[in-house]
Amino acid sequence: MNPGATDQATAWSVASGPRGRGASSNQWRKRLEITFFVAPALLLFAIFVIVPVLQAGRYSVFNWNGLGPLDNFVGLQNYVQALGDEIFQRAVRNNLTIAFFSIAIQLPIGIMVALLLNRKFRGQTAMRVIVFVPYVLAEVVAGVVWVLILQPNGPLDAVLDTLGLGFIGQVWLGDPSVALWTVMGVLTWKYSGLAIVLLLAGLQGVPEELHEAASIDGATWWQVQRKITIPLLGPTIRTWIFLSLIGSLQLFDMVWILTKGGPVNATVTMATYLINQGTDRQQYGYASAVAILLFCISFILAILYQTLFLNRDAGVDKPRRKKVTR
């Protein structure tokens, strides 16, 4: 046996033994900490998300009225019926219409108001609070107020008559041709405050030095906003679009209070259609199939948006390794 090799092995075990055991102990401690803090959240997620989804999937393959055992297995018939139902198809179109116009209308409003409120003036704080008030109001309260405002010969019609614009007056929530756009207007009033507040928070992260340097170079206020501020707000804008998209697909409470999906299904959404089929018509198996379809549509769009747009923001802060040349 080589005495030199023995000495080297002994020296290595002496040098690395305590350090190796210490590193292993640290790893186990880190794993235990992660498990301790994450396990309750995972447990709640499983109880309130995973289990209900699995239960809805189970109910969806039965013709079930909510009472008695699940003994009338129908397979995918509920899904075929839902996909072929014109009212459900209209609900999907309404959800996508609301999602598109929510982004197309609220985003420009949010950017313009946020840029204005980001400038220093007297009453700035009060104005920021005022624009956020509609968002913090409960949907029930806001919905009931708007039902009273929009009723025939109500306050809105009175204001239009006073301004000489009485010919614009409509049966705002009772005419199928204008009901969806009336709901769209209420949603814009209700949720624009969230876009404004998020964009205001994003503006606080834009370095003032960039504005000063551009101004010194002769750029106008609009050029500074268009070339510097708005591009730097990209991650905030994309996050808000994601929230608005998911919220539009799951829209229920405000539509239910204003119109209950009517008149003549003009404002029906997937969520109101689901509730109508489940609680009103006692078709819980069919309603469960609609719930699974709503979940799949939202999940697919969320994954696509995450992959196409949000992942680019996650890679912004990653340091780029420079290739070392010798």
Side-chain angles (χ1 to χ4, degrees):
M1 189 172 184
N2 187 358
T6 305
D7 294 341
Q8 282 185 344
T10 304
W12 171 257
S13 63
V14 171
S16 62
R19 184 178 300 175
R21 287 194 295 273
S24 178
S25 176
N26 288 336
Q27 288 181 353
W28 275 107
R29 188 175 61 184
K30 185 180 294 184
R31 290 172 184 171
L32 288 175
E33 290 176 353
I34 293 173
T35 303
F36 178 77
F37 288 108
V38 173
L42 289 178
L43 180 62
L44 292 176
F45 183 79
I47 293 174
F48 293 106
V49 178
I50 302 297
V51 172
V53 170
L54 295 177
Q55 282 287 71
R58 177 169 169 250
Y59 296 150
S60 68
V61 294
F62 287 90
N63 184 11
W64 188 50
N65 63 1
L67 299 173
L70 297 170
D71 53 5
N72 190 1
F73 181 77
V74 295
L76 299 178
Q77 181 180 336
N78 287 330
Y79 292 94
V80 175
Q81 180 182 347
L83 293 173
D85 188 357
E86 293 183 358
I87 300 176
F88 179 74
Q89 295 171 4
R90 185 167 189 171
V92 175
R93 287 198 302 272
N94 284 345
N95 275 111
L96 295 178
T97 301
I98 290 171
F100 175 79
F101 283 100
S102 293
I103 295 170
I105 296 174
Q106 294 177 27
L107 182 58
I109 293 175
I111 291 176
M112 294 304 297
V113 175
L115 290 176
L116 291 175
L117 293 181
N118 197 44
R119 307 182 77 171
K120 294 181 180 178
F121 60 91
R122 182 177 296 179
Q124 180 191 46
T125 303
M127 288 299 298
R128 290 183 177 184
V129 173
I130 289 173
V131 299
F132 195 57
V133 165
Y135 182 74
V136 300
L137 280 178
E139 272 75 5
V140 174
V141 175
V144 171
V145 169
W146 275 105
V147 167
L148 296 175
I149 292 174
L150 295 170
Q151 62 182 335
N153 300 319
L156 179 59
D157 288 343
V159 172
L160 291 176
D161 288 336
T162 303
L163 297 175
L165 300 174
F167 60 92
I168 299 178
Q170 301 282 339
V171 184
W172 300 103
L173 296 175
D175 187 345
S177 63
V178 300
L180 182 62
W181 305 111
T182 303
V183 172
M184 193 68 241
V186 175
L187 295 175
T188 301
W189 169 85
K190 180 75 172 67
Y191 296 111
S192 291
L194 177 63
I196 294 169
V197 170
L198 287 178
L199 292 170
L200 270 172
L203 286 172
Q204 309 313 308
V206 179
E208 188 64 28
E209 293 81 5
L210 295 177
H211 293 169
E212 295 174 356
S215 300
I216 292 173
D217 290 339
T220 63
W221 180 85
W222 172 242
Q223 288 174 327
V224 171
Q225 308 309 322
R226 188 164 59 91
K227 297 289 186 180
I228 297 176
T229 305
I230 294 178
L232 290 177
L233 283 176
T236 305
I237 291 173
R238 286 187 283 274
T239 301
W240 173 80
I241 289 176
F242 178 75
L243 297 175
S244 179
L245 176 65
I246 298 302
S248 298
L249 292 176
Q250 299 176 344
L251 181 64
F252 169 72
D253 37 19
M254 186 61 78
V255 175
W256 190 257
I257 296 166
L258 291 174
T259 64
K260 291 187 182 294
V264 200
N265 298 312
T267 60
V268 65
T269 65
M270 288 187 281
T272 61
Y273 178 80
L274 185 161
I275 295 298
N276 185 39
Q277 295 295 327
T279 59
D280 293 351
R281 302 189 179 187
Q282 305 296 312
Q283 298 179 347
Y284 285 97
Y286 181 70
S288 298
V290 175
I292 292 296
L293 290 175
L294 171 58
F295 172 78
C296 292
I297 293 172
S298 301
F299 186 73
I300 291 172
L301 288 179
I303 292 296
L304 286 177
Y305 191 82
Q306 176 80 26
T307 304
L308 296 177
F309 298 102
L310 292 183
N311 280 350
R312 58 190 295 184
D313 298 330
V316 169
D317 295 329
K318 288 182 178 179
R320 294 181 178 178
R321 294 182 178 179
K322 294 183 179 179
K323 186 177 181 179
V324 178
T325 57
R326 296 180 179 177

